[in-house]
Amino acid sequence: MPDFPAKKYRALVADKDKSGKMSLSIRRLNTRDLPEHTVLVRVHYSSLNYKDALSASGDTGVTKHFPHTPGIDAAGVVEHSRDPGFHKGDEVIVTSYDLGQNTPGGFGEYISVPGSWIVPLPHGLSLEESMTLGTAGFTAAYGIKKITDAGIDSGTGAVLVTGATGGVGSLAVSIFAKLGFDVIAATGKKERHEYLKKLGAAECISRDSVTNVKHSPLLSSRWVAAIDTVGGEMLDCVIRQTSHNGVVACCGNILGGDLETSVYPFILRGISLMGIDSGNCLMDERKTIWKLLADEWKPDNLELLSHRKRLDQLPSELEKILTGGQTGRVLVSLRD
């Protein structure tokens, strides 16, 4: 049993009955029932991600055992620590690793985690802002860093963001724009074009205009770099329309995990395909990216990106994200 102070707290719990039917409910839990890790954090804010919806709907590829508290993101204040690197009162961010998957996550008022999972809140970010960004913002920034580290800057050419109204897509548009890039935002939601332009998109295009193309191994160049949040056929078409020495960073598989393409974009145009594995990013890199997000990469329009919700409002939001109806970010307040 952990040596934490015994405290009752609220959490959104996903449970599965004997027939496999899932349910969601707010329950009162005890900190003594949390895993025996080194740091107890009082969660102030979390955020909603696609992986949370998978966990809450019983996807065993994400969460093995139920009942379970989802929430792969959390920001709050250290309540108790046996790790010398953290002390009571420290403001911290915890994202990725196993949080919210098989370790009780940020949809509870307390989490217990190893110190090795924790990022000190960087100067320039509030706890609330850090969760408006969350894993989605971190993933977007990680992809953009891979692109800029490869030598592509705002003077090189236009960049594409697919799935642009989603959490990662919205933040990628906003961060790219902050850095001075001409951003092409691809979406299936024509009614959201104005939203994307407010985030900084220079041009909004239909996702069909990316995929309804010839099956030639190479197509006319339309962008020098891209962040693809969709996968499948979309990723293949994005690669074939990327210009010489371009970079494509990918992080999603909504259209499927298989990629059918040819070697020609890679050997004739020198295109680089880079994966964004935000869940297991090394801690030094993780801290660097959060510092960028707190400073020169911090979006100017965070208030446009998020909808603030309470724990009891999450079930409908979880359903919405599974059906592709979510725009921007859902900020979860555990202080309301």
Side-chain angles (χ1 to χ4, degrees):
M1 179 180 291
D3 61 353
F4 306 143
K7 294 191 176 185
K8 295 284 188 179
Y9 70 95
R10 296 179 309 134
L12 181 70
V13 177
D15 205 356
K16 183 184 291 188
D17 66 19
K18 291 181 180 179
S19 69
K21 183 179 179 180
M22 294 297 300
S23 63
L24 288 168
S25 60
I26 305 291
R27 297 187 187 177
R28 298 286 291 181
L29 305 178
N30 194 309
T31 54
R32 290 293 181 90
D33 295 323
L34 287 168
E36 192 170 356
H37 292 308
T38 53
V39 184
L40 179 70
V41 177
R42 170 69 166 91
V43 180
H44 288 201
Y45 299 98
S46 182
S47 67
L48 181 60
N49 299 277
Y50 187 69
K51 191 172 284 186
D52 300 321
L54 293 177
S55 174
S57 61
D59 188 320
T60 55
V62 177
T63 300
K64 304 295 184 188
H65 303 289
F66 297 90
H68 173 68
T69 301
I72 66 169
D73 289 348
V77 176
V78 173
E79 185 92 1
H80 180 83
S81 177
R82 288 184 287 106
D83 186 308
F86 298 96
H87 303 91
K88 184 177 174 65
D90 288 350
E91 294 185 313
V92 296
I93 302 168
V94 186
T95 64
S96 310
Y97 301 103
D98 190 51
L99 185 70
Q101 296 183 73
N102 295 290
T103 299
F107 295 169
E109 292 174 322
Y110 284 92
I111 57 172
S112 170
V113 295
S116 59
W117 293 7
I118 298 175
V119 174
L121 182 74
H123 179 72
L125 271 187
S126 68
L127 291 173
E128 182 173 352
E129 288 171 334
S130 75
M131 288 296 97
T132 299
L133 294 163
T135 287
F138 180 85
T139 301
Y142 195 8
I144 290 169
K145 188 172 186 296
K146 285 178 178 283
I147 289 168
T148 56
D149 284 352
I152 292 173
D153 58 30
S154 58
T156 310
V159 294
L160 173 75
V161 177
T162 67
T165 62
V168 176
S170 293
L171 282 154
V173 169
S174 187
I175 297 167
F176 266 137
K178 176 72 180 281
L179 297 178
F181 283 89
D182 288 332
V183 186
I184 303 170
T187 178
K189 300 173 182 174
K190 189 174 181 179
E191 70 278 8
R192 295 298 184 182
H193 283 193
E194 190 59 34
Y195 161 77
L196 290 168
K197 287 180 179 178
K198 286 180 180 178
L199 295 184
E203 181 183 359
C204 296
I205 62 174
S206 164
R207 63 188 175 197
D208 292 341
S209 72
V210 180
T211 57
N212 290 347
V213 292
K214 295 185 298 183
H215 291 291
S216 301
L218 290 171
L219 296 166
S220 297
S221 300
R222 297 174 68 183
W223 38 77
V224 70
I227 288 187
D228 175 56
T229 71
V230 178
E233 178 191 17
M234 177 69 77
L235 178 56
D236 166 49
C237 294
V238 168
I239 291 169
R240 290 188 287 128
Q241 295 173 83
T242 301
S243 62
H244 281 84
N245 299 316
V247 177
V248 177
C250 67
C251 64
N253 62 350
I254 295 171
L255 286 185
D258 294 333
L259 175 61
E260 295 185 13
T261 193
S262 77
V263 299
Y264 293 109
F266 307 106
I267 64 174
L268 296 182
R269 285 188 179 166
I271 291 166
S272 299
L273 177 61
M274 297 187 177
I276 309 171
D277 180 19
S278 60
N280 294 292
C281 175
L282 295 175
M283 182 53 74
D284 284 348
E285 183 84 338
R286 189 176 294 273
K287 289 178 178 178
T288 296
I289 292 167
W290 275 112
K291 286 178 180 177
L292 287 170
L293 286 168
D295 193 6
E296 61 261 41
W297 288 22
K298 184 178 180 180
D300 294 325
N301 38 29
L302 280 176
E303 71 284 351
L304 294 176
L305 287 158
S306 69
H307 319 281
R308 188 186 183 106
K309 299 293 180 181
R310 304 183 307 269
L311 277 183
D312 62 299
Q313 296 174 308
L314 280 185
S316 62
E317 297 297 327
L318 287 159
E319 180 63 28
K320 193 182 295 183
I321 200 171
L322 280 174
T323 57
Q326 196 67 254
T327 296
R329 301 282 289 140
V330 173
L331 174 73
V332 184
S333 174
L334 287 92
R335 301 178 61 112
D336 294 339

